[in-house]
Protein backbone atom coordinates (compact mmCIF):
# COMPACT_ATOMS: atom_id res chain seq x y z
CA UNK A 1 0.00 0.00 0.00
CA UNK A 2 1.47 3.36 -1.02
CA UNK A 3 1.28 6.65 0.88
CA UNK A 4 -1.67 7.95 -1.16
CA UNK A 5 -3.69 4.80 -0.42
CA UNK A 6 -2.76 4.99 3.26
CA UNK A 7 -3.90 8.61 3.46
CA UNK A 8 -7.14 7.90 1.59
CA UNK A 9 -7.88 4.91 3.82
CA UNK A 10 -7.34 6.81 7.07
CA UNK A 11 -9.38 9.76 5.79
CA UNK A 12 -12.22 7.43 4.77
CA UNK A 13 -12.39 5.88 8.21
CA UNK A 14 -12.22 9.24 9.95
CA UNK A 15 -15.04 10.61 7.81
CA UNK A 16 -17.15 7.47 8.19
CA UNK A 17 -16.80 7.45 11.99
CA UNK A 18 -17.68 11.15 12.06
CA UNK A 19 -20.89 10.35 10.17
CA UNK A 20 -21.66 7.58 12.67
CA UNK A 21 -21.28 9.98 15.57
CA UNK A 22 -23.28 12.70 13.83
CA UNK A 23 -26.14 10.25 13.38
CA UNK A 24 -25.77 8.56 16.74
CA UNK A 25 -29.24 9.40 18.05
CA UNK A 26 -30.79 8.41 14.74
CA UNK A 27 -29.06 5.00 14.81
CA UNK A 28 -30.23 4.35 18.37
CA UNK A 29 -33.75 5.37 17.36
CA UNK A 30 -33.65 2.84 14.53
CA UNK A 31 -32.62 0.10 16.94
CA UNK A 32 -35.37 1.01 19.36
CA UNK A 33 -37.99 1.10 16.61
CA UNK A 34 -36.96 -2.39 15.49
CA UNK A 35 -37.03 -3.61 19.09
CA UNK A 36 -40.47 -2.16 19.67
CA UNK A 37 -41.99 -3.81 16.61
CA UNK A 38 -40.43 -7.29 16.33
CA UNK A 39 -41.65 -9.91 13.87
CA UNK A 40 -41.22 -13.67 13.78
CA UNK A 41 -39.15 -15.58 11.23
CA UNK A 42 -40.68 -15.66 7.74
CA UNK A 43 -43.24 -13.06 8.87
CA UNK A 44 -41.09 -9.91 8.84
CA UNK A 45 -43.17 -7.76 6.47
CA UNK A 46 -43.07 -4.46 8.37
CA UNK A 47 -39.40 -4.92 9.22
CA UNK A 48 -38.53 -5.41 5.55
CA UNK A 49 -40.52 -2.31 4.61
CA UNK A 50 -38.67 -0.30 7.26
CA UNK A 51 -35.23 -1.46 6.05
CA UNK A 52 -36.06 -0.77 2.41
CA UNK A 53 -37.37 2.71 3.26
CA UNK A 54 -34.15 3.53 5.11
CA UNK A 55 -31.94 2.30 2.27
CA UNK A 56 -33.87 4.36 -0.27
CA UNK A 57 -33.44 7.40 1.96
CA UNK A 58 -29.68 6.81 1.95
CA UNK A 59 -29.67 6.95 -1.85
CA UNK A 60 -29.42 3.25 -2.66
CA UNK A 61 -31.12 2.31 -5.92
CA UNK A 62 -29.78 -1.22 -6.48
CA UNK A 63 -31.98 -2.94 -3.89
CA UNK A 64 -33.18 -6.52 -4.30
CA UNK A 65 -36.13 -7.52 -2.15
CA UNK A 66 -37.56 -10.93 -1.30
CA UNK A 67 -34.18 -12.54 -2.00
CA UNK A 68 -34.41 -16.16 -0.93
CA UNK A 69 -38.01 -15.55 0.09
CA UNK A 70 -37.50 -12.58 2.40
CA UNK A 71 -33.98 -11.12 2.36
CA UNK A 72 -32.95 -7.65 1.20
CA UNK A 73 -29.70 -7.01 -0.66
CA UNK A 74 -28.46 -3.48 -1.30
CA UNK A 75 -25.44 -3.09 -3.57
CA UNK A 76 -23.03 -0.19 -3.67
CA UNK A 77 -21.14 -0.38 -6.97
CA UNK A 78 -18.33 2.13 -7.08
CA UNK A 79 -17.87 1.64 -10.82
CA UNK A 80 -14.18 1.00 -10.21
CA UNK A 81 -12.40 -2.36 -10.27
CA UNK A 82 -11.89 -4.12 -6.98
CA UNK A 83 -13.15 -6.96 -4.82
CA UNK A 84 -16.77 -7.66 -3.99
CA UNK A 85 -17.40 -8.00 -0.28
CA UNK A 86 -20.63 -8.63 1.62
CA UNK A 87 -21.73 -7.69 5.13
CA UNK A 88 -24.70 -9.39 6.79
CA UNK A 89 -27.23 -8.57 9.51
CA UNK A 90 -30.32 -10.59 10.47
CA UNK A 91 -33.65 -9.05 11.48
CA UNK A 92 -36.13 -11.67 12.76
CA UNK A 93 -37.30 -11.96 16.38
CA UNK A 94 -38.31 -14.77 18.74
CA UNK A 95 -41.64 -16.09 20.10
CA UNK A 96 -40.94 -14.76 23.61
CA UNK A 97 -43.04 -12.47 25.81
CA UNK A 98 -40.75 -9.59 26.78
CA UNK A 99 -40.37 -8.94 30.52
CA UNK A 100 -37.97 -5.99 30.43
CA UNK A 101 -38.75 -2.50 31.70
CA UNK A 102 -37.45 -0.77 28.57
CA UNK A 103 -39.51 2.22 27.43
CA UNK A 104 -39.32 0.74 23.93
CA UNK A 105 -40.21 -2.82 24.92
CA UNK A 106 -42.03 -4.98 22.39
CA UNK A 107 -45.53 -3.92 21.44
CA UNK A 108 -46.16 -7.20 19.64
CA UNK A 109 -47.56 -9.64 22.15
CA UNK A 110 -45.48 -12.80 22.49
CA UNK A 111 -42.73 -11.60 20.14
CA UNK A 112 -39.38 -10.15 21.23
CA UNK A 113 -35.94 -9.24 19.93
CA UNK A 114 -34.27 -11.41 22.55
CA UNK A 115 -31.18 -12.22 20.50
CA UNK A 116 -29.95 -8.82 19.36
CA UNK A 117 -31.05 -8.89 15.73
CA UNK A 118 -32.47 -5.39 16.17
CA UNK A 119 -28.95 -4.26 17.08
CA UNK A 120 -27.43 -6.09 14.12
CA UNK A 121 -29.80 -4.48 11.64
CA UNK A 122 -29.48 -0.96 13.04
CA UNK A 123 -25.70 -1.38 13.00
CA UNK A 124 -25.58 -2.38 9.34
CA UNK A 125 -28.01 0.38 8.39
CA UNK A 126 -25.68 2.90 10.01
CA UNK A 127 -22.78 1.51 8.00
CA UNK A 128 -24.81 1.68 4.78
CA UNK A 129 -25.72 5.28 5.55
CA UNK A 130 -22.09 6.32 6.18
CA UNK A 131 -20.62 4.44 3.24
CA UNK A 132 -23.29 5.74 0.88
CA UNK A 133 -21.94 9.26 1.45
CA UNK A 134 -18.34 8.19 0.82
CA UNK A 135 -18.66 5.83 -2.13
CA UNK A 136 -16.26 7.90 -4.26
CA UNK A 137 -13.46 6.91 -1.87
CA UNK A 138 -13.92 3.21 -2.60
CA UNK A 139 -13.17 0.70 -5.34
CA UNK A 140 -15.10 -2.50 -6.02
CA UNK A 141 -18.55 -3.49 -4.79
CA UNK A 142 -20.15 -3.72 -1.38
CA UNK A 143 -23.26 -5.80 -0.74
CA UNK A 144 -25.35 -5.26 2.39
CA UNK A 145 -27.31 -8.38 3.30
CA UNK A 146 -30.34 -7.91 5.52
CA UNK A 147 -31.40 -11.47 6.21
CA UNK A 148 -34.72 -12.83 7.34
CA UNK A 149 -35.44 -15.93 9.44
CA UNK A 150 -32.16 -16.73 11.16
CA UNK A 151 -33.96 -18.12 14.19
CA UNK A 152 -36.09 -20.75 12.46
CA UNK A 153 -34.62 -23.57 10.33
CA UNK A 154 -34.18 -23.90 7.43
CA UNK A 155 -33.37 -20.22 7.93
CA UNK A 156 -32.91 -17.44 5.45
CA UNK A 157 -29.19 -17.78 4.67
CA UNK A 158 -29.45 -21.04 2.74
CA UNK A 159 -32.18 -19.65 0.48
CA UNK A 160 -30.23 -16.44 -0.16
CA UNK A 161 -27.20 -18.52 -1.15
CA UNK A 162 -29.29 -20.76 -3.38
CA UNK A 163 -30.72 -17.70 -5.14
CA UNK A 164 -27.31 -17.07 -6.73
CA UNK A 165 -27.32 -13.42 -5.66
CA UNK A 166 -23.95 -13.83 -3.90
CA UNK A 167 -22.19 -16.03 -6.44
CA UNK A 168 -19.60 -13.37 -7.28
CA UNK A 169 -18.78 -12.30 -3.72
CA UNK A 170 -15.10 -12.58 -2.79
CA UNK A 171 -15.42 -12.36 0.98
CA UNK A 172 -18.23 -12.11 3.54
CA UNK A 173 -18.39 -10.90 7.14
CA UNK A 174 -20.97 -10.92 9.90
CA UNK A 175 -21.24 -10.05 13.56
CA UNK A 176 -23.30 -11.07 16.56
CA UNK A 177 -23.59 -9.18 19.81
CA UNK A 178 -23.14 -10.98 23.14
CA UNK A 179 -25.69 -9.37 25.41
CA UNK A 180 -24.81 -11.44 28.46
CA UNK A 181 -21.12 -10.51 28.33
CA UNK A 182 -19.82 -7.31 29.93
CA UNK A 183 -16.61 -6.46 28.09
CA UNK A 184 -17.25 -3.06 26.54
CA UNK A 185 -15.17 -1.99 23.58
CA UNK A 186 -13.85 -5.47 22.83
CA UNK A 187 -14.20 -7.63 19.71
CA UNK A 188 -14.15 -11.43 19.89
CA UNK A 189 -12.74 -13.56 17.08
CA UNK A 190 -11.87 -17.20 16.55
CA UNK A 191 -10.32 -18.93 13.51
CA UNK A 192 -11.72 -22.27 12.39
CA UNK A 193 -14.83 -23.76 13.99
CA UNK A 194 -16.52 -20.99 15.97
CA UNK A 195 -20.09 -22.25 16.38
CA UNK A 196 -21.59 -25.71 16.27
CA UNK A 197 -23.90 -27.55 13.94
CA UNK A 198 -27.30 -27.51 15.63
CA UNK A 199 -29.31 -30.70 15.06
CA UNK A 200 -32.39 -32.03 16.82
CA UNK A 201 -33.96 -35.42 17.43
CA UNK A 202 -37.29 -36.88 18.50
CA UNK A 203 -37.85 -40.37 19.92
CA UNK A 204 -41.28 -42.00 20.04
CA UNK A 205 -41.48 -45.12 22.19
CA UNK A 206 -44.30 -47.62 21.92
CA UNK A 207 -44.78 -50.07 24.77
CA UNK A 208 -47.81 -51.81 26.23
CA UNK A 209 -49.86 -50.01 28.85
CA UNK A 210 -51.62 -51.53 31.81
CA UNK A 211 -52.47 -51.25 35.47
CA UNK A 212 -49.82 -50.01 37.88
CA UNK A 213 -50.49 -52.94 40.19
CA UNK A 214 -49.47 -55.45 37.52
CA UNK A 215 -46.29 -54.16 35.84
CA UNK A 216 -45.37 -57.68 34.71
CA UNK A 217 -48.22 -57.55 32.20
CA UNK A 218 -46.99 -54.33 30.60
CA UNK A 219 -44.12 -52.91 28.61
CA UNK A 220 -43.48 -49.68 30.48
CA UNK A 221 -42.62 -46.92 27.99
CA UNK A 222 -41.62 -44.62 30.85
CA UNK A 223 -38.91 -47.03 32.00
CA UNK A 224 -37.59 -47.35 28.44
CA UNK A 225 -37.41 -43.56 28.13
CA UNK A 226 -35.64 -43.27 31.49
CA UNK A 227 -33.00 -45.78 30.39
CA UNK A 228 -32.50 -43.87 27.17
CA UNK A 229 -31.99 -40.55 28.93
CA UNK A 230 -29.15 -42.10 30.91
CA UNK A 231 -27.60 -44.24 28.20
CA UNK A 232 -27.63 -41.64 25.43
CA UNK A 233 -24.97 -39.76 27.37
CA UNK A 234 -22.54 -42.64 26.81
CA UNK A 235 -22.39 -41.54 23.17
CA UNK A 236 -20.62 -38.46 24.49
CA UNK A 237 -18.59 -40.13 27.23
CA UNK A 238 -17.71 -43.49 25.64
CA UNK A 239 -18.13 -43.35 21.86
CA UNK A 240 -16.86 -39.88 20.94
CA UNK A 241 -13.17 -39.02 20.88
CA UNK A 242 -12.78 -36.87 24.04
CA UNK A 243 -10.54 -34.45 22.12
CA UNK A 244 -13.44 -33.59 19.80
CA UNK A 245 -16.37 -31.44 20.90
CA UNK A 246 -19.93 -32.70 21.06
CA UNK A 247 -23.06 -32.16 23.14
CA UNK A 248 -26.20 -34.29 23.43
CA UNK A 249 -29.01 -32.89 25.56
CA UNK A 250 -32.44 -34.42 26.13
CA UNK A 251 -34.67 -31.39 26.54
CA UNK A 252 -38.19 -32.86 26.77
CA UNK A 253 -39.70 -36.04 28.27
CA UNK A 254 -43.39 -36.87 28.20
CA UNK A 255 -45.10 -40.10 29.22
CA UNK A 256 -48.50 -40.93 30.62
CA UNK A 257 -51.55 -38.90 31.40
CA UNK A 258 -54.75 -39.28 33.34
CA UNK A 259 -54.98 -41.70 36.27
CA UNK A 260 -51.97 -42.26 38.49
CA UNK A 261 -52.36 -46.03 38.44
CA UNK A 262 -51.91 -46.43 34.68
CA UNK A 263 -48.55 -47.50 33.22
CA UNK A 264 -47.92 -45.53 30.04
CA UNK A 265 -47.78 -47.33 26.72
CA UNK A 266 -46.17 -44.37 24.95
CA UNK A 267 -43.31 -42.02 25.76
CA UNK A 268 -41.72 -39.13 23.91
CA UNK A 269 -38.26 -37.60 24.11
CA UNK A 270 -36.68 -34.78 22.19
CA UNK A 271 -33.35 -33.05 22.33
CA UNK A 272 -30.47 -31.38 20.59
CA UNK A 273 -27.07 -32.46 19.26
CA UNK A 274 -24.21 -29.97 18.85
CA UNK A 275 -21.02 -30.83 16.96
CA UNK A 276 -18.32 -29.14 14.90
CA UNK A 277 -17.07 -31.92 12.65
CA UNK A 278 -19.21 -33.93 10.24
CA UNK A 279 -17.58 -37.16 11.39
CA UNK A 280 -18.71 -36.56 14.98
CA UNK A 281 -22.14 -35.41 13.82
CA UNK A 282 -22.65 -38.68 11.93
CA UNK A 283 -21.40 -40.66 14.92
CA UNK A 284 -24.05 -39.05 17.12
CA UNK A 285 -26.81 -39.62 14.58
CA UNK A 286 -25.97 -43.30 14.14
CA UNK A 287 -25.38 -43.80 17.86
CA UNK A 288 -28.80 -42.45 18.80
CA UNK A 289 -30.57 -44.70 16.29
CA UNK A 290 -28.66 -47.83 17.34
CA UNK A 291 -29.09 -47.22 21.06
CA UNK A 292 -32.80 -46.46 20.81
CA UNK A 293 -33.45 -49.56 18.71
CA UNK A 294 -31.58 -51.95 21.01
CA UNK A 295 -32.73 -50.54 24.36
CA UNK A 296 -36.35 -50.50 23.21
CA UNK A 297 -36.05 -54.08 21.95
CA UNK A 298 -34.43 -55.21 25.20
CA UNK A 299 -37.56 -54.08 27.04
CA UNK A 300 -39.99 -55.47 24.51
CA UNK A 301 -40.90 -52.06 23.10
CA UNK A 302 -40.49 -50.45 19.71
CA UNK A 303 -39.23 -46.97 19.00
CA UNK A 304 -38.88 -44.50 16.14
CA UNK A 305 -36.14 -41.88 15.86
CA UNK A 306 -36.49 -38.72 13.79
CA UNK A 307 -33.17 -36.93 13.38
CA UNK A 308 -33.23 -33.44 11.87
CA UNK A 309 -30.14 -31.70 10.56
CA UNK A 310 -30.04 -28.06 11.58
CA UNK A 311 -27.58 -25.34 10.62
CA UNK A 312 -24.04 -26.51 9.82
CA UNK A 313 -21.13 -25.48 12.01
CA UNK A 314 -19.73 -21.99 11.51
CA UNK A 315 -16.21 -22.33 10.14
CA UNK A 316 -14.23 -19.09 10.04
CA UNK A 317 -11.60 -19.14 7.32
CA UNK A 318 -8.23 -18.87 9.09
CA UNK A 319 -6.71 -16.53 6.49
CA UNK A 320 -9.61 -14.06 6.53
CA UNK A 321 -9.87 -14.27 10.31
CA UNK A 322 -6.17 -13.53 10.70
CA UNK A 323 -6.52 -10.57 8.37
CA UNK A 324 -9.54 -9.23 10.26
CA UNK A 325 -7.63 -9.61 13.51
CA UNK A 326 -4.87 -7.36 12.11
CA UNK A 327 -7.45 -4.87 10.84
CA UNK A 328 -9.20 -4.75 14.22
CA UNK A 329 -5.95 -4.42 16.18
CA UNK A 330 -4.96 -1.46 14.02
CA UNK A 331 -8.33 0.20 14.62
CA UNK A 332 -9.15 -0.75 18.22
CA UNK A 333 -5.81 -1.70 19.78
CA UNK A 334 -4.40 -5.13 20.54
CA UNK A 335 -5.89 -5.19 24.04
CA UNK A 336 -9.40 -4.93 22.59
CA UNK A 337 -9.21 -7.82 20.12
CA UNK A 338 -9.67 -11.12 21.91
CA UNK A 339 -9.36 -14.64 20.53
CA UNK A 340 -12.08 -16.63 22.31
CA UNK A 341 -13.07 -20.26 22.55
CA UNK A 342 -15.75 -21.60 20.19
CA UNK A 343 -19.29 -22.05 21.45
CA UNK A 344 -21.89 -24.78 20.93
CA UNK A 345 -24.55 -22.30 19.81
CA UNK A 346 -25.77 -22.41 16.22
CA UNK A 347 -25.97 -19.78 13.47
CA UNK A 348 -27.09 -19.98 9.85
CA UNK A 349 -24.25 -17.64 8.82
CA UNK A 350 -22.57 -21.04 8.37
CA UNK A 351 -24.23 -21.40 4.96
CA UNK A 352 -22.46 -18.31 3.60
CA UNK A 353 -19.10 -19.58 4.81
CA UNK A 354 -19.61 -22.95 3.12
CA UNK A 355 -19.04 -21.22 -0.22
CA UNK A 356 -17.56 -17.77 0.47
CA UNK A 357 -14.36 -17.04 2.42
CA UNK A 358 -14.94 -14.86 5.45
CA UNK A 359 -15.38 -14.70 9.19
CA UNK A 360 -18.03 -14.20 11.87
CA UNK A 361 -17.15 -12.22 15.00
CA UNK A 362 -18.76 -11.14 18.27
CA UNK A 363 -19.29 -7.78 19.94
CA UNK A 364 -19.83 -7.94 23.73
CA UNK A 365 -22.97 -5.99 24.62
CA UNK A 366 -23.62 -6.55 28.31
CA UNK A 367 -24.41 -3.42 30.30
CA UNK A 368 -21.82 -2.72 33.01
CA UNK A 369 -24.25 -0.84 35.24
CA UNK A 370 -26.88 -3.57 35.09
CA UNK A 371 -26.97 -5.96 38.04
CA UNK A 372 -27.89 -8.97 35.87
CA UNK A 373 -27.09 -9.30 32.18
CA UNK A 374 -29.51 -11.94 31.01
CA UNK A 375 -28.45 -14.34 28.26
CA UNK A 376 -29.80 -14.45 24.74
CA UNK A 377 -33.37 -15.79 24.37
CA UNK A 378 -34.27 -14.67 27.88
CA UNK A 379 -37.42 -12.52 28.30
CA UNK A 380 -35.35 -9.88 30.13
CA UNK A 381 -32.51 -9.78 27.58
CA UNK A 382 -31.09 -6.31 26.92
CA UNK A 383 -28.06 -4.91 25.10
CA UNK A 384 -25.68 -2.01 25.54
CA UNK A 385 -26.38 0.35 22.64
CA UNK A 386 -22.71 1.31 22.50
CA UNK A 387 -22.25 -2.06 20.76
CA UNK A 388 -23.98 -0.53 17.72
CA UNK A 389 -21.04 1.77 17.19
CA UNK A 390 -18.33 -0.76 18.01
CA UNK A 391 -19.85 -3.14 15.46
CA UNK A 392 -20.26 -0.38 12.88
CA UNK A 393 -16.62 0.70 13.23
CA UNK A 394 -15.53 -2.93 12.89
CA UNK A 395 -17.44 -3.24 9.61
CA UNK A 396 -16.06 0.09 8.39
CA UNK A 397 -12.49 -0.98 9.12
CA UNK A 398 -13.07 -4.12 7.02
CA UNK A 399 -14.45 -1.98 4.18
CA UNK A 400 -11.46 0.33 4.45
CA UNK A 401 -9.06 -2.54 3.94
CA UNK A 402 -10.83 -4.42 1.18
CA UNK A 403 -12.13 -1.51 -0.91
CA UNK A 404 -9.31 1.01 -0.50
CA UNK A 405 -6.10 -0.67 0.62
CA UNK A 406 -6.35 -3.55 -1.86
CA UNK A 407 -6.72 -3.01 -5.58
CA UNK A 408 -7.72 -6.64 -6.04
CA UNK A 409 -8.67 -9.61 -3.91
CA UNK A 410 -5.35 -11.27 -4.74
CA UNK A 411 -3.54 -8.47 -2.96
CA UNK A 412 -4.89 -9.71 0.37
CA UNK A 413 -2.45 -12.62 0.36
CA UNK A 414 0.44 -10.20 0.66
CA UNK A 415 -0.85 -8.24 3.65
Amino acid sequence: MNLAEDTLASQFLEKAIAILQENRDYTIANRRHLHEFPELSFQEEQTRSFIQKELLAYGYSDIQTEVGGGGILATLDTGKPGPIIALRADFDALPIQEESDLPFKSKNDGVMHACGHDVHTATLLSVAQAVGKLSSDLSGKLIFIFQHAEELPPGGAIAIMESGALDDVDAIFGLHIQGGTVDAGKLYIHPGYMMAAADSFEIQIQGKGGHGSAPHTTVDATVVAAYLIQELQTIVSRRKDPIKAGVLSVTAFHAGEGADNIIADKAYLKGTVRTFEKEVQQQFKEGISEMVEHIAAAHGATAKVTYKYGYPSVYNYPEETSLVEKIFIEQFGEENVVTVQPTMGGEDFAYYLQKIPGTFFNVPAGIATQEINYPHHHPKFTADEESLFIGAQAFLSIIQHYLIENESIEGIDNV
Side-chain angles (χ1 to χ4, degrees), residues 43 62 144 210 291 390:
Q43 301 176 33
D62 187 352
F144 297 96
M291 192 167 288
I390 299 297

Side-chain angles (χ1 to χ4, degrees), residues 82-88 141-145 161 166-174 317 319-321 323-324 327 349 352-353 355-360 395 398-399 401-403 406 408-410 412:
I84 303 173
I85 69 166
L87 308 176
R88 175 268 207 168
K141 290 184 182 180
L142 180 59
I143 300 176
F144 297 96
I145 306 167
M161 287 300 298
L166 303 179
D167 285 354
D168 296 328
V169 171
D170 295 303
I172 189 167
F173 304 93
Y317 284 63
E319 184 176 332
E320 280 67 26
T321 306
L323 175 57
V324 164
I327 293 169
F349 194 81
Y352 300 114
L353 294 174
K355 295 185 178 180
I356 306 172
T359 196
F360 191 67
F395 274 150
I398 291 171
I399 295 169
H401 176 83
Y402 277 81
L403 300 190
N406 286 279
S408 67
I409 200 72
E410 286 78 15
I412 294 169

Side-chain angles (χ1 to χ4, degrees), residues 8 14 114 125 127 148 183 260 292-293 350 362 365 371 396:
L8 180 60
E14 289 173 5
L125 282 172
V127 174
H148 61 302
D183 208 0
D260 59 7
V292 169
E293 178 187 354
N362 295 134
E371 184 177 353
L396 287 168

Side-chain angles (χ1 to χ4, degrees), residues 247-415:
V247 171
L248 188 159
S249 295
V250 176
T251 57
F253 178 5
H254 179 77
E257 55 187 340
D260 59 7
N261 60 355
I262 301 299
I263 289 176
D265 68 336
K266 294 182 177 65
Y268 171 81
L269 302 174
K270 72 175 181 179
T272 186
V273 168
R274 304 297 172 108
T275 57
F276 292 128
E277 301 169 67
K278 288 185 177 180
E279 175 191 351
V280 179
Q281 181 187 47
Q282 190 63 23
Q283 190 176 41
F284 273 58
K285 179 179 182 294
E286 293 174 356
I288 291 170
S289 295
E290 291 173 4
M291 192 167 288
V292 169
E293 178 187 354
H294 294 308
I295 288 178
H299 289 83
T302 59
K304 177 185 177 182
V305 177
T306 302
Y307 191 96
K308 299 177 182 178
Y309 290 106
Y311 300 152
S313 54
V314 173
Y315 183 82
N316 284 335
Y317 284 63
E319 184 176 332
E320 280 67 26
T321 306
S322 176
L323 175 57
V324 164
E325 180 182 21
K326 294 175 184 176
I327 293 169
F328 287 171
I329 287 173
E330 183 176 344
Q331 176 61 24
F332 296 94
E334 188 169 2
E335 71 281 5
N336 290 318
V337 183
V338 183
T339 300
V340 294
Q341 293 299 311
T343 72
M344 303 309 285
E347 236 288 349
D348 78 344
F349 194 81
Y351 287 115
Y352 300 114
L353 294 174
Q354 285 187 329
K355 295 185 178 180
I356 306 172
T359 196
F360 191 67
F361 59 94
N362 295 134
V363 181
I367 302 173
T369 57
Q370 193 165 279
E371 184 177 353
I372 301 174
N373 281 279
Y374 293 94
H376 293 264
H377 295 213
H378 191 282
K380 292 185 178 180
F381 174 86
T382 56
D384 183 356
E385 290 176 327
E386 190 60 32
S387 64
L388 289 158
F389 306 99
I390 299 297
Q393 288 182 50
F395 274 150
L396 287 168
S397 65
I398 291 171
I399 295 169
Q400 174 200 43
H401 176 83
Y402 277 81
L403 300 190
I404 296 179
E405 296 176 353
N406 286 279
E407 294 182 357
S408 67
I409 200 72
E410 286 78 15
I412 294 169
D413 295 334
N414 299 318
V415 174

Side-chain angles (χ1 to χ4, degrees), residues 91-278:
F91 55 72
D92 57 325
L94 287 156
I96 294 173
Q97 183 66 44
E98 184 164 6
E99 296 177 5
S100 77
D101 296 323
L102 296 173
F104 51 91
K105 68 183 294 184
S106 173
K107 288 185 176 177
N108 294 340
D109 192 47
V111 185
M112 178 190 176
H113 272 298
C115 199
H117 296 188
D118 52 335
V119 175
H120 302 166
T121 296
T123 296
L124 194 58
L125 282 172
S126 72
V127 174
Q129 182 185 36
V131 173
K133 296 180 179 181
L134 302 171
S135 59
S136 61
D137 292 350
L138 307 176
S139 298
K141 290 184 182 180
L142 180 59
I143 300 176
F144 297 96
I145 306 167
F146 294 91
Q147 184 206 305
H148 61 302
E150 189 279 328
E151 295 288 359
L152 184 64
I158 187 171
I160 290 175
M161 287 300 298
E162 290 175 348
S163 75
L166 303 179
D167 285 354
D168 296 328
V169 171
D170 295 303
I172 189 167
F173 304 93
L175 64 78
H176 203 298
I177 63 166
Q178 287 191 203
T181 303
V182 179
D183 208 0
K186 301 288 197 298
L187 292 166
Y188 291 172
I189 61 170
H190 183 86
Y193 291 112
M194 184 176 184
M195 300 183 75
D199 301 339
S200 63
F201 63 87
E202 297 178 0
I203 303 170
Q204 293 175 311
I205 301 162
Q206 180 63 61
K208 178 184 175 183
H211 200 280
S213 65
H216 60 291
T217 67
T218 72
V219 175
D220 192 339
T222 303
V223 171
V224 177
Y227 267 95
L228 281 171
I229 291 173
Q230 294 290 331
E231 293 303 313
L232 285 171
Q233 292 306 316
T234 64
I235 297 174
V236 180
S237 65
R238 289 297 177 267
R239 294 197 184 193
K240 179 187 67 65
D241 183 341
I243 301 300
K244 298 180 179 180
V247 171
L248 188 159
S249 295
V250 176
T251 57
F253 178 5
H254 179 77
E257 55 187 340
D260 59 7
N261 60 355
I262 301 299
I263 289 176
D265 68 336
K266 294 182 177 65
Y268 171 81
L269 302 174
K270 72 175 181 179
T272 186
V273 168
R274 304 297 172 108
T275 57
F276 292 128
E277 301 169 67
K278 288 185 177 180

